[in-house]
Amino acid sequence: MLCAALPLLWLPLAGAAATEEPTPEPGSPGEPPPGLALFRWQWHEVEAPYLVALWILVASLAKIVFHLSRKVTSLVPESCLLILLGLVLGGIVLAVAKKAEYQLEPGTFFLFLLPPIVLDSGYFMPSRLFFDNLGAILTYAVVGTLWNAFTTGAALWGLQQAGLVAPRVQASLLDFLLFGSLISAVDPVAVLAVFEEVHVNDTLFIIVFGESLLNDAVTVVLYKVCNSFVEMGSANVQATDYLKGVASLFVVSLGGAAVGLVFAFLLALTTRFTKRVRIIEPLLVFLLAYAAYLTAEMASLSAILAVTMCGLGCKKYVEANISHKSRTAVKYTMKTLASCAETVIFMLLGISAVDSSKWAWDSGLVLGTLFFILFFRALGVVLQTWVLNQFRLVPLDKIDQVVMSYGGLRGAVAFALVILLDKTKVPAKDYFVATTIVVVFFTVIVQGLTIKPLVKWLKVKRSEHHKPTLNQELHEHTFDHILAAVEDVVGHHGYHYWRDRWEQFDKKYLSQLLMRRSAYRIRDQIWDVYYRLNIRDAISFVDQGGHILSSTGLTLPSMPSRNSMAETSVTNLLRESGSGACLDLQVIDTVRSGRDREDAVMHHLLCGGLYKPRRRVVCLNQDPNKAHILHLYKASCSRHFISEDAQERQDKEVFQQNMKRRLESFKSTKHNICFTKSKPRPRKTSRKKKDGLANTEATNGKPPRNLSVQDTAAVILTVESEEEEESDSSETEKEDDEGIIFVARATSEVLQEVKVSGSLEVCPSPRIIPPSPTCAEKELPWKSGQGDLAVYVSSETTKIVPVDMQTGWNQSISSLESLASPPCTQAPTVTRLPPCPLAAEEPQHPFNLPYDPRPSFAFPPSLAKAGRSRSESSADIPQQQELQPLMGYEDRTHLSPGTANSHWCIQFNKGSRL
Amino acid sequence: MIRSEPPALLTGSFSQASLLRLYHRFRALDRNKKGYLSRMDLQQIGALAVNPLGERIIDSFFPDGNLRLDFPGFVRVLAHFRPIDDEDPGIRDPKEPEPLNSRMNKLRFAFQLYDLDRDGKISRHEMLQVLRLMVGVQVTEEQLESIADRTVQEADEDGDGAVSFLEFTKSLEKMDIEQKMSIRILK
């Protein structure tokens, strides 16, 4: 058989390989032995598996393509797309091969494609939810399916009697009942495919989906009974046969469930002893579940029910027994297989529909069937729900009923069953096939497409997923126990009573028997939730901590607190953090706790003290030895680096750091100046050097950072990286970091305030902005951490500012203001302090940063630095030398305020002007 | 028999059938036909003895140190578990006390199972006791303590190291209490 999908590939190669056209198979008996062939083409030996793999590949690729566009997949269910793709592919195959190929074979479908899907759904079925709604599910599955089958079949027969179905459709009442039985069952594959994307609330989902799984037994029985009746001929059917039919319903369903449970037991028991051979654990799960399916199929029991029960029953014990890795393997393999099977099913459905040779169209039959299945489904749901609501604690409301009626999708099971019909016994088979295809396509495509908007329009309660909390888990157990106790007291042996009994039994015997001892010990639901929460916290903790560490590149021995934190368990950590802290580390981020502050300090320490290989970096450091704003300064200096490559940047940074240190020591020894003052200088000098003679060079490649200053001053630095880049002609590297905005607010009391601020602790705590800043990181620096940050300031910052320095500051402020905003009249003016005269750009970041209305003003480091550098040029001779180039730079900026660059934005309050 | 009970006492507003049913049950539990239930009577219920919270639930039937449980008291406790009927939410007089089966009262019932010393707070110690009952013996004491710590901290918002009723309700605000704390048969 030619592979229609690969005709072009195959033919030329075949021609090259074999000389004989009709029998390309090498070594066929008629030929003389060709001797040792250098190259042999053996398509036929690999044909079957090759084609299977190829089809799955095509389907998977198609899935990838579908999901390239989020828009399409959000509107159209994947199953629709796959069916349509199948139609197209089928058309191509038909056109190429001149005959329909690769249809959905019932054998393949039932033996290979269906089991993975059912196993997946059974294994991952939320069992509590399932059993909570078991009554409703069973009702819909059994009564509903029976109702649908009989009413649809009878109504179609009535339609035929009424003459609305063309007379060429030769079918008796039994034929129609047979057809009704196969067309009436809601299909698990289709329901799953559509409802998984709709996200209705859990109860609704479990009812529709549970029904689609459990109605298999009814469908199988009805189908088999009707089929045998048809084959026997309606005249030969005895009364006992009807009784047998009814009895077989119980045999098939209960038998299937029993087979499933037996295998679940075996499976759980087997996995108890796999401690030494962990690697086969996933295999065991699949093998035994498949064995359950095949066994049930072999015994003509409901195979779907068997696998569902097997998955449902074994999960608890298997999950406890197998290793963590095996659990992951089982989960992913199961999902992969199910998804594969589902994809292939829908695609093959589409392909099969192309084959018109199996079709026979009758409009009356098709339209009638469509109408009846919708109508009777809705009617059945309404009637059953009315009855059920008499017994339900939470009644199903009308909207639920609409969704349930509309969600009754038909799918591949019906198609496979109709293909299985014997044409000699059922003369109208072709018509039934066509009708089934139309029904399946209609439900999957039309209803599948519209159910999402419908659910939205009806405002159906959606499922809400929230993280489990220990409290919820614990209290839920409490409620269960309470309800069980109340039922005891009331003397009513209801659902809670039996669930409680079952749990006792499970605890006493089943778990002891089926779980390995070590697993049993820790297998408690509350413990489990606790364990999972801890794992999650640990992961997020590591993520967070890992980020910090990675940004610095290593762990510092000088950071005892961080190290100790890493060592302590999450629980201890939580305990340490005290009652004020939330358990969830993620929450801790947003809650300013002592731990958080400590983190920030650590962070700053790390940032300041280490060279950071990353672009975004630098910040201030609060070295135990030198605490300073200086570093902050310096940090800003680093911005000026343009890093063409990492090496260069690193060199520069190291250089800068050295520079800064030198300056610091110099100043501190010489002038005993407040560090805040000295800070500006080093930065300038370093920048100076960097920029060298060419003052034109802009400050580039600065890693952006947010500087937070103590509450006395609101200083926010924002670096507009884009602008920087533009300004920097020589630099090619672009920094996509956030900018630094410098917002300085000064009041009229600047003069006095400056003095005060000099003596005050000015604590700049610029922080690294990690690539993905956490809430705390975003929040910490200036918004929340203001008061707290003072803690980190070392005592050295509190040195008294010499008088000459203060005057220098004032001067610098005034000069800055004048240069930046000459005649400032507006209340809060935004002025730009240009580090780079070349780039004249507006800061793109609006100043939406929190404004601190407090009048107190602490000299923002950057301002201080700038001002001081000017003033000191005259005051300090030694410093002046180093600052010299910088001075020139400043002067230039002063001269050309219009071209001021926007890298540094300084926002003053009105009152700050002198 | 049931007629003899003054309906005003029956705060649960049970249906007649339910009341009758409860009354029969009450009489069946009352072994010596003494007209009230003692703790012993409730402890005789087999399944209740196995229930990890059984003792505490029995306690809640005997509030304020009472030793006798009469039928109105019996009904009043059970009224907590009546499903909430949504038919007449607006008709009720706002001045009337909240019905016993309201969400708040259901939660309060659960809360007082934890709060042994009746101080309005679930302390860490009380949480630990409940956990010890529920989790069973497989988990070590140390693990239990860390679970208790975490549970308290999780719900504790004001940082006093205990869970107040408000915090308790908050930790469960996403849960369908009306459904989870109702028994249909008590309609």
Tab-separated table of all heavy atoms in Angstrom, chain A residues 772-813:
chain	number	residue	atom	x	y	z
A	772	SER	N	13.289	40.698	37.693
A	772	SER	CA	11.877	40.585	38.040
A	772	SER	C	11.726	41.008	39.479
A	772	SER	O	11.794	40.216	40.379
A	772	SER	CB	11.402	39.152	37.872
A	772	SER	OG	12.135	38.316	38.716
A	773	PRO	N	11.513	42.251	39.653
A	773	PRO	CA	11.462	42.738	41.021
A	773	PRO	C	10.274	42.182	41.752
A	773	PRO	O	9.182	42.073	41.197
A	773	PRO	CB	11.349	44.245	40.856
A	773	PRO	CG	10.900	44.469	39.484
A	773	PRO	CD	11.252	43.275	38.672
A	774	THR	N	10.491	41.816	42.930
A	774	THR	CA	9.377	41.338	43.722
A	774	THR	C	8.637	42.528	44.287
A	774	THR	O	9.081	43.659	44.193
A	774	THR	CB	9.879	40.476	44.880
A	774	THR	OG1	10.668	41.313	45.711
A	774	THR	CG2	10.712	39.341	44.376
A	775	CYS	N	7.532	42.218	44.851
A	775	CYS	CA	6.733	43.288	45.421
A	775	CYS	C	7.566	44.047	46.424
A	775	CYS	O	7.573	45.271	46.465
A	775	CYS	CB	5.511	42.712	46.120
A	775	CYS	SG	4.485	41.783	45.041
A	776	ALA	N	8.242	43.291	47.220
A	776	ALA	CA	8.997	43.941	48.266
A	776	ALA	C	10.061	44.820	47.655
A	776	ALA	O	10.312	45.923	48.109
A	776	ALA	CB	9.656	42.897	49.142
A	777	GLU	N	10.654	44.334	46.615
A	777	GLU	CA	11.711	45.121	46.027
A	777	GLU	C	11.173	46.396	45.440
A	777	GLU	O	11.790	47.439	45.493
A	777	GLU	CB	12.420	44.297	44.962
A	777	GLU	CG	13.382	43.326	45.614
A	777	GLU	CD	13.910	42.335	44.626
A	777	GLU	OE1	13.281	42.190	43.577
A	777	GLU	OE2	14.942	41.745	44.897
A	778	LYS	N	10.010	46.249	44.851
A	778	LYS	CA	9.428	47.459	44.300
A	778	LYS	C	9.043	48.409	45.411
A	778	LYS	O	9.155	49.605	45.303
A	778	LYS	CB	8.172	47.118	43.508
A	778	LYS	CG	8.475	46.485	42.181
A	778	LYS	CD	7.161	46.252	41.491
A	778	LYS	CE	7.229	45.080	40.558
A	778	LYS	NZ	5.987	44.400	40.418
A	779	GLU	N	8.590	47.798	46.426
A	779	GLU	CA	7.990	48.623	47.446
A	779	GLU	C	9.006	49.154	48.429
A	779	GLU	O	8.894	50.257	48.922
A	779	GLU	CB	6.956	47.783	48.188
A	779	GLU	CG	6.222	48.577	49.220
A	779	GLU	CD	5.230	47.694	49.931
A	779	GLU	OE1	5.178	46.519	49.612
A	779	GLU	OE2	4.536	48.209	50.797
A	780	LEU	N	9.954	48.333	48.676
A	780	LEU	CA	10.840	48.627	49.775
A	780	LEU	C	11.513	49.986	49.743
A	780	LEU	O	11.403	50.737	50.689
A	780	LEU	CB	11.907	47.546	49.830
A	780	LEU	CG	11.791	46.632	51.027
A	780	LEU	CD1	12.891	45.631	50.969
A	780	LEU	CD2	11.833	47.444	52.293
A	781	PRO	N	12.213	50.266	48.683
A	781	PRO	CA	13.189	51.336	48.826
A	781	PRO	C	12.623	52.626	49.371
A	781	PRO	O	13.079	53.087	50.386
A	781	PRO	CB	13.699	51.519	47.427
A	781	PRO	CG	13.390	50.281	46.721
A	781	PRO	CD	12.175	49.719	47.375
A	782	TRP	N	11.688	53.163	48.677
A	782	TRP	CA	11.316	54.483	49.166
A	782	TRP	C	9.940	54.521	49.761
A	782	TRP	O	9.659	55.282	50.649
A	782	TRP	CB	11.421	55.491	48.051
A	782	TRP	CG	10.616	55.113	46.883
A	782	TRP	CD1	9.307	55.278	46.727
A	782	TRP	CD2	11.085	54.485	45.728
A	782	TRP	NE1	8.911	54.789	45.538
A	782	TRP	CE2	9.994	54.301	44.884
A	782	TRP	CE3	12.349	54.048	45.309
A	782	TRP	CZ2	10.110	53.712	43.658
A	782	TRP	CZ3	12.453	53.457	44.078
A	782	TRP	CH2	11.341	53.286	43.270
A	783	LYS	N	9.085	53.696	49.259
A	783	LYS	CA	7.719	53.814	49.748
A	783	LYS	C	7.605	53.356	51.172
A	783	LYS	O	7.112	54.054	52.041
A	783	LYS	CB	6.794	52.961	48.887
A	783	LYS	CG	6.544	53.592	47.562
A	783	LYS	CD	5.500	52.805	46.835
A	783	LYS	CE	5.335	53.308	45.434
A	783	LYS	NZ	4.494	52.453	44.649
A	784	SER	N	8.029	52.166	51.373
A	784	SER	CA	7.729	51.605	52.672
A	784	SER	C	8.915	51.656	53.601
A	784	SER	O	8.754	51.679	54.793
A	784	SER	CB	7.310	50.161	52.497
A	784	SER	OG	8.326	49.464	51.824
A	785	GLY	N	10.039	51.614	53.042
A	785	GLY	CA	11.187	51.391	53.877
A	785	GLY	C	11.796	52.624	54.479
A	785	GLY	O	12.835	52.545	55.091
A	786	GLN	N	11.180	53.720	54.282
A	786	GLN	CA	11.845	54.951	54.646
A	786	GLN	C	12.337	54.960	56.083
A	786	GLN	O	13.500	55.168	56.356
A	786	GLN	CB	10.905	56.130	54.435
A	786	GLN	CG	10.670	56.371	52.977
A	786	GLN	CD	9.705	57.487	52.763
A	786	GLN	OE1	9.138	58.021	53.700
A	786	GLN	NE2	9.509	57.849	51.535
A	787	GLY	N	11.396	54.766	56.952
A	787	GLY	CA	11.793	54.846	58.341
A	787	GLY	C	12.748	53.731	58.707
A	787	GLY	O	13.664	53.916	59.480
A	788	ASP	N	12.516	52.618	58.119
A	788	ASP	CA	13.277	51.469	58.543
A	788	ASP	C	14.715	51.528	58.089
A	788	ASP	O	15.596	50.981	58.695
A	788	ASP	CB	12.642	50.211	57.960
A	788	ASP	CG	11.189	50.151	58.296
A	788	ASP	OD1	10.843	50.679	59.361
A	788	ASP	OD2	10.415	49.605	57.514
A	789	LEU	N	14.906	52.172	57.009
A	789	LEU	CA	16.219	52.112	56.416
A	789	LEU	C	17.273	52.753	57.299
A	789	LEU	O	18.436	52.458	57.186
A	789	LEU	CB	16.205	52.803	55.067
A	789	LEU	CG	15.496	51.955	54.031
A	789	LEU	CD1	15.314	52.727	52.766
A	789	LEU	CD2	16.290	50.693	53.799
A	790	ALA	N	16.822	53.610	58.112
A	790	ALA	CA	17.784	54.288	58.953
A	790	ALA	C	18.594	53.291	59.743
A	790	ALA	O	19.717	53.544	60.126
A	790	ALA	CB	17.071	55.229	59.901
A	791	VAL	N	18.002	52.173	59.934
A	791	VAL	CA	18.674	51.169	60.731
A	791	VAL	C	20.033	50.822	60.144
A	791	VAL	O	20.990	50.573	60.843
A	791	VAL	CB	17.811	49.902	60.790
A	791	VAL	CG1	18.535	48.818	61.537
A	791	VAL	CG2	16.505	50.236	61.460
A	792	TYR	N	20.064	50.854	58.866
A	792	TYR	CA	21.294	50.357	58.252
A	792	TYR	C	22.412	51.384	58.254
A	792	TYR	O	23.527	51.072	57.951
A	792	TYR	CB	21.060	49.990	56.797
A	792	TYR	CG	19.768	49.331	56.582
A	792	TYR	CD1	18.945	49.739	55.561
A	792	TYR	CD2	19.374	48.309	57.421
A	792	TYR	CE1	17.746	49.120	55.378
A	792	TYR	CE2	18.174	47.708	57.229
A	792	TYR	CZ	17.361	48.116	56.217
A	792	TYR	OH	16.177	47.521	56.016
A	793	VAL	N	22.020	52.562	58.446
A	793	VAL	CA	23.034	53.581	58.298
A	793	VAL	C	24.080	53.414	59.377
A	793	VAL	O	23.785	53.264	60.548
A	793	VAL	CB	22.390	54.957	58.434
A	793	VAL	CG1	23.457	56.013	58.330
A	793	VAL	CG2	21.365	55.116	57.363
A	794	SER	N	25.236	53.419	58.956
A	794	SER	CA	26.279	53.284	59.959
A	794	SER	C	26.494	54.630	60.616
A	794	SER	O	26.100	55.677	60.119
A	794	SER	CB	27.566	52.805	59.323
A	794	SER	OG	28.143	53.870	58.637
A	795	SER	N	27.143	54.564	61.697
A	795	SER	CA	27.284	55.791	62.480
A	795	SER	C	28.156	56.799	61.753
A	795	SER	O	28.128	57.976	62.034
A	795	SER	CB	27.906	55.453	63.828
A	795	SER	OG	29.158	54.838	63.611
A	796	GLU	N	28.903	56.325	60.848
A	796	GLU	CA	29.827	57.232	60.189
A	796	GLU	C	29.123	58.303	59.374
A	796	GLU	O	29.664	59.358	59.118
A	796	GLU	CB	30.758	56.437	59.286
A	796	GLU	CG	31.779	55.665	60.077
A	796	GLU	CD	32.520	54.717	59.187
A	796	GLU	OE1	32.093	54.550	58.037
A	796	GLU	OE2	33.520	54.176	59.623
A	797	THR	N	27.943	57.972	58.978
A	797	THR	CA	27.273	58.959	58.160
A	797	THR	C	26.813	60.156	58.960
A	797	THR	O	26.387	61.147	58.414
A	797	THR	CB	26.041	58.341	57.499
A	797	THR	OG1	25.224	57.818	58.531
A	797	THR	CG2	26.446	57.260	56.547
A	798	THR	N	26.857	60.012	60.214
A	798	THR	CA	26.294	61.072	61.034
A	798	THR	C	27.318	62.121	61.426
A	798	THR	O	27.139	62.861	62.377
A	798	THR	CB	25.694	60.479	62.305
A	798	THR	OG1	26.738	59.819	63.013
A	798	THR	CG2	24.612	59.502	61.970
A	799	LYS	N	28.321	62.132	60.725
A	799	LYS	CA	29.309	63.145	61.085
A	799	LYS	C	28.784	64.536	60.766
A	799	LYS	O	27.958	64.724	59.875
A	799	LYS	CB	30.595	62.896	60.323
A	799	LYS	CG	31.315	61.675	60.859
A	799	LYS	CD	32.503	61.338	60.019
A	799	LYS	CE	33.127	60.051	60.501
A	799	LYS	NZ	34.118	59.554	59.567
A	800	ILE	N	29.332	65.421	61.460
A	800	ILE	CA	28.852	66.788	61.277
A	800	ILE	C	29.479	67.396	60.035
A	800	ILE	O	30.653	67.226	59.757
A	800	ILE	CB	29.210	67.634	62.497
A	800	ILE	CG1	28.477	67.065	63.711
A	800	ILE	CG2	28.861	69.072	62.263
A	800	ILE	CD1	28.896	67.707	64.984
A	801	VAL	N	28.644	68.054	59.370
A	801	VAL	CA	29.131	68.685	58.161
A	801	VAL	C	29.804	70.004	58.519
A	801	VAL	O	29.235	70.827	59.228
A	801	VAL	CB	27.966	68.967	57.211
A	801	VAL	CG1	28.493	69.588	55.937
A	801	VAL	CG2	27.214	67.702	56.950
A	802	PRO	N	30.949	70.182	58.041
A	802	PRO	CA	31.623	71.455	58.292
A	802	PRO	C	30.853	72.600	57.667
A	802	PRO	O	30.110	72.428	56.703
A	802	PRO	CB	32.965	71.299	57.586
A	802	PRO	CG	33.118	69.855	57.334
A	802	PRO	CD	31.767	69.252	57.326
A	803	VAL	N	31.065	73.726	58.212
A	803	VAL	CA	30.309	74.875	57.754
A	803	VAL	C	30.603	75.196	56.293
A	803	VAL	O	29.708	75.464	55.500
A	803	VAL	CB	30.642	76.091	58.619
A	803	VAL	CG1	29.929	77.311	58.082
A	803	VAL	CG2	30.265	75.816	60.060
A	804	ASP	N	31.842	75.092	55.982
A	804	ASP	CA	32.162	75.451	54.602
A	804	ASP	C	31.466	74.516	53.627
A	804	ASP	O	31.068	74.879	52.549
A	804	ASP	CB	33.673	75.424	54.395
A	804	ASP	CG	34.238	74.069	54.708
A	804	ASP	OD1	33.546	73.303	55.455
A	804	ASP	OD2	35.308	73.734	54.239
A	805	MET	N	31.313	73.319	54.078
A	805	MET	CA	30.622	72.369	53.227
A	805	MET	C	29.170	72.758	53.035
A	805	MET	O	28.614	72.660	51.958
A	805	MET	CB	30.663	70.987	53.878
A	805	MET	CG	31.938	70.285	53.584
A	805	MET	SD	32.165	70.434	51.820
A	805	MET	CE	33.676	69.654	51.597
A	806	GLN	N	28.592	73.186	54.121
A	806	GLN	CA	27.190	73.566	54.014
A	806	GLN	C	27.013	74.711	53.039
A	806	GLN	O	26.120	74.688	52.196
A	806	GLN	CB	26.660	73.985	55.382
A	806	GLN	CG	26.619	72.815	56.342
A	806	GLN	CD	26.367	73.278	57.729
A	806	GLN	OE1	26.055	74.441	57.958
A	806	GLN	NE2	26.496	72.370	58.679
A	807	THR	N	27.861	75.637	53.174
A	807	THR	CA	27.740	76.747	52.231
A	807	THR	C	27.946	76.221	50.820
A	807	THR	O	27.264	76.627	49.890
A	807	THR	CB	28.783	77.823	52.542
A	807	THR	OG1	30.072	77.197	52.543
A	807	THR	CG2	28.522	78.464	53.884
A	808	GLY	N	28.859	75.355	50.744
A	808	GLY	CA	29.099	74.784	49.414
A	808	GLY	C	27.843	74.111	48.885
A	808	GLY	O	27.470	74.270	47.722
A	809	TRP	N	27.198	73.437	49.731
A	809	TRP	CA	25.974	72.786	49.303
A	809	TRP	C	24.951	73.798	48.814
A	809	TRP	O	24.327	73.626	47.785
A	809	TRP	CB	25.366	72.017	50.477
A	809	TRP	CG	25.997	70.699	50.660
A	809	TRP	CD1	26.961	70.162	49.895
A	809	TRP	CD2	25.700	69.773	51.684
A	809	TRP	NE1	27.300	68.951	50.370
A	809	TRP	CE2	26.544	68.682	51.473
A	809	TRP	CE3	24.813	69.769	52.755
A	809	TRP	CZ2	26.528	67.570	52.297
A	809	TRP	CZ3	24.796	68.671	53.564
A	809	TRP	CH2	25.658	67.578	53.339
A	810	ASN	N	24.809	74.765	49.654
A	810	ASN	CA	23.810	75.756	49.274
A	810	ASN	C	24.124	76.359	47.920
A	810	ASN	O	23.267	76.513	47.069
A	810	ASN	CB	23.757	76.867	50.320
A	810	ASN	CG	23.332	76.322	51.646
A	810	ASN	OD1	22.657	75.300	51.694
A	810	ASN	ND2	23.729	76.970	52.718
A	811	GLN	N	25.359	76.668	47.796
A	811	GLN	CA	25.751	77.230	46.512
A	811	GLN	C	25.419	76.269	45.383
A	811	GLN	O	24.880	76.644	44.359
A	811	GLN	CB	27.244	77.514	46.509
A	811	GLN	CG	27.614	78.688	47.380
A	811	GLN	CD	29.116	78.832	47.455
A	811	GLN	OE1	29.835	78.156	46.732
A	811	GLN	NE2	29.575	79.734	48.298
A	812	SER	N	25.779	75.093	45.640
A	812	SER	CA	25.573	74.126	44.564
A	812	SER	C	24.103	73.976	44.243
A	812	SER	O	23.704	73.848	43.093
A	812	SER	CB	26.142	72.776	44.966
A	812	SER	OG	25.434	72.275	46.080
A	813	ILE	N	23.335	74.017	45.274
A	813	ILE	CA	21.902	73.902	45.012
A	813	ILE	C	21.423	75.041	44.151
A	813	ILE	O	20.742	74.850	43.144
A	813	ILE	CB	21.113	73.908	46.339
A	813	ILE	CG1	21.325	72.588	47.056
A	813	ILE	CG2	19.645	74.145	46.081
A	813	ILE	CD1	20.589	72.511	48.348
